[in-house]
Amino acid sequence: MQFIDLKRQYAYLKKEIDGAVAEVLTRGDFIGGIEVKELSDELARYCGVKHCLTVANGTDALTLALRTLGVQSGDAVFLPSFTFFATAEAVALQGAVPVFVDADERTFNISPERLEEAVVRTKKEGRAAKGIITVDLFGLPADYSEIRKIADSHGLWIIEDGAQGFGGKIGDKRACSFGDISTTSFFPAKPLGCYGDGGAVFTDNDGYSELLKSLAVHGKGSFKYDNVRIGYNSRLDTLQAAVLKVKLKAFINEELNSRNEIAARYTAALSDKFVTPIIPDGFYSSWAQYTLILESAEQRGQIQAALKEKGIPSMIYYPIPMHRQTAFKDCKANFDELRVSDNLSQRVLSLPMHPYLERNEQDLIIDCLLKGV
Ligand SMILES: *Cc1c(COP(=O)(O)O)cnc(C)c1O
């Protein structure tokens, strides 16, 4: 059994994907091309955002967003400690200082209460508080109504790191529309993945959109060889866009639904015995991961071993929160304020989750979990 079965997805979509790839190869457009334009338009429309720029990966998308918002050396940027490294790395790459905020213990996302406290304290210390990067962890959008209030009251911008959140919703509003700038990743294992690296940046702001486009192409001005700022080379290539156009259709028409059906089945079967993920009222997850909170690291080890014995893969996302990463040892995080992140990192376990996980496989996983404890 695969944790995320990309081969099965390919078998299912093979005819369309092969056709789309052959079309690009035959035409000989490898950079830019109609597929990139069409895909960005489709992504913008799907997310309900005015502008979408496809880029090389989700980490670049964050870097471009930070540059566009004018982050400078020494600026404080608030972000969850319980996330993937890239969220914080992009901040540090700009010379800014990541301020790690604890998680909500049931949604895994950044806690609005802890965020407010961190902003107030940082300002009191006389540091330049500039913005917040939220993460839609495991596919669930962060608590944007609360976070937006905090951002507005302190004059901060929001970057939504939707690398795992693409496809999620709050009410009718889609993930990747909640930030002043929002980002996503098309890394193969993300909810919407390509066959290599890819990412996108979203914004409603015309000025930001222009700046993002310039920064992504070597800081171009009126044309490619007029360079008005130092930028990057960050683009999604034509083959990946062609693949993504096919996958986006399947994602919208079937996959997102299947993910939610599988998650509902897991929860119905497991919630008596385990702490299963909760989706607050009005929220919709894209289920990048289905994550249990176990009693202890010890119990987690036993369950992981029992699953493995039956050929069932499971993963720990994430074993080390950002405030404990060696790379961030100079950030002077207050470990006492990050206890939920520490606790989660000891207890979480993610189960196989992908739209092509068959019923008998789901049953095997559920059986093994119920018998294993
Ligand atoms: C995957 C991921 C990224 C980085 O995306 P890449 O395309 O791998 O660069 C950033 N943030 C989060 C939360 C992620 O899960």
Side-chain angles (χ1 to χ4, degrees):
M1 193 188 306
Q2 301 285 311
F3 189 72
I4 295 175
D5 200 332
L6 295 172
K7 273 195 226 161
R8 218 178 265 171
Q9 184 195 42
Y10 176 58
Y12 196 75
L13 301 173
K14 181 172 173 21
K15 216 172 134 204
E16 271 193 276
I17 287 179
D18 287 358
V21 167
E23 161 77 29
V24 174
L25 295 180
T26 308
R27 220 178 49 231
D29 272 344
F30 298 111
I31 298 292
I34 183 74
E35 287 83 359
V36 173
K37 167 83 178 92
E38 286 175 355
L39 176 70
S40 348
D41 290 349
E42 286 167 26
L43 291 168
R45 201 174 326 122
Y46 178 67
C47 295
V49 177
K50 196 165 167 198
H51 306 283
C52 168
L53 176 70
T54 54
V55 298
N57 57 68
T59 309
D60 274 13
L62 288 166
T63 293
L64 291 162
L66 287 161
R67 278 285 306 274
T68 298
L69 292 164
V71 168
Q72 305 208 333
S73 185
D75 288 350
V77 177
F78 304 88
L79 55 98
S81 183
F82 195 59
T83 180
F84 177 59
F85 188 69
T87 316
E89 181 182 38
V91 172
L93 262 175
Q94 297 305 318
V97 183
V99 178
F100 301 118
V101 178
D102 214 0
D104 177 278
E105 60 192 3
R106 289 302 276 115
T107 65
F108 305 108
N109 279 327
I110 192 167
S111 154
E113 292 80 20
R114 300 291 92 77
L115 173 64
E116 169 77 27
E117 288 164 14
V119 175
V120 169
R121 191 191 51 226
T122 301
K123 286 183 140 182
K124 220 183 256 168
E125 290 166 3
R127 296 158 65 200
K130 287 297 164 68
I132 304 161
I133 307 185
T134 54
V135 177
D136 302 333
L137 202 71
F138 304 154
L140 178 69
D143 185 355
Y144 288 100
S145 62
E146 288 304 311
I147 294 165
R148 182 54 78 182
K149 276 187 228 156
I150 296 167
D152 287 349
S153 75
H154 293 283
L156 306 173
W157 43 252
I158 298 174
I159 295 174
E160 175 187 5
D161 179 352
Q164 302 179 17
F166 187 85
K169 280 191 290 191
I170 305 175
D172 291 333
K173 217 167 142 44
R174 288 263 172 215
C176 297
S177 73
F178 297 109
D180 296 280
I181 300 179
S182 301
T183 66
T184 198
S185 163
F186 303 125
F187 182 81
K190 307 287 182 183
L192 176 64
C194 59
Y195 289 154
D197 278 308
V201 193
F202 301 82
T203 185
D204 280 326
N205 182 302
D206 298 342
Y208 292 164
S209 173
E210 286 310 306
L211 195 46
L212 286 164
K213 282 187 209 155
S214 165
L215 286 166
V217 185
H218 305 289
K220 75 175 163 124
S222 54
F223 69 109
K224 188 175 174 183
Y225 301 103
D226 169 33
N227 305 94
V228 298
R229 56 181 64 85
I230 302 298
Y232 306 83
N233 170 23
S234 190
R235 57 201 164 204
L236 183 79
D237 65 65
T238 322
L239 282 169
Q240 299 303 340
V243 168
L244 277 168
K245 272 176 51 95
V246 176
K247 289 223 211 174
L248 177 61
K249 206 164 60 179
F251 181 84
I252 295 171
N253 293 339
E254 294 168 49
E255 292 183 358
L256 198 49
N257 243 340
S258 308
R259 285 174 177 277
N260 273 275
E261 279 169 17
I262 295 165
R265 251 190 118 225
Y266 274 155
T267 297
L270 299 172
S271 62
D272 280 352
K273 275 208 150 171
F274 295 95
V275 181
T276 48
I278 58 154
I279 305 301
D281 271 354
F283 284 61
Y284 183 81
S285 178
S286 60
W287 296 104
Q289 302 296 340
Y290 185 93
T291 303
L292 300 176
I293 305 175
L294 301 174
E295 282 164 18
S296 62
E298 196 189 9
Q299 189 203 32
R300 178 173 69 184
Q302 288 161 0
I303 288 177
Q304 218 177 1
L307 289 167
K308 194 171 171 203
E309 203 151 287
K310 292 266 190 285
I312 301 166
S314 61
M315 303 289 281
I316 298 171
Y317 296 124
Y318 291 94
I320 307 176
M322 291 311 109
H323 65 279
R324 290 191 186 270
Q325 293 287 357
T326 308
F328 293 127
K329 65 181 184 308
D330 296 334
C331 289
K332 301 196 178 71
N334 184 344
F335 283 28
D336 283 345
E337 293 170 3
L338 293 157
R339 293 221 178 103
V340 174
S341 303
D342 276 337
N343 191 277
L344 289 173
S345 68
Q346 296 300 305
R347 294 169 57 199
V348 286
L349 188 68
S350 299
L351 304 180
M353 169 51 82
H354 64 83
Y356 304 91
L357 192 69
E358 283 168 6
R359 240 170 197 265
N360 63 335
E361 293 172 314
Q362 299 164 31
D363 291 339
L364 185 70
I365 296 163
I366 289 165
D367 265 11
C368 181
L369 282 163
L370 294 178
K371 283 187 192 131
V373 281

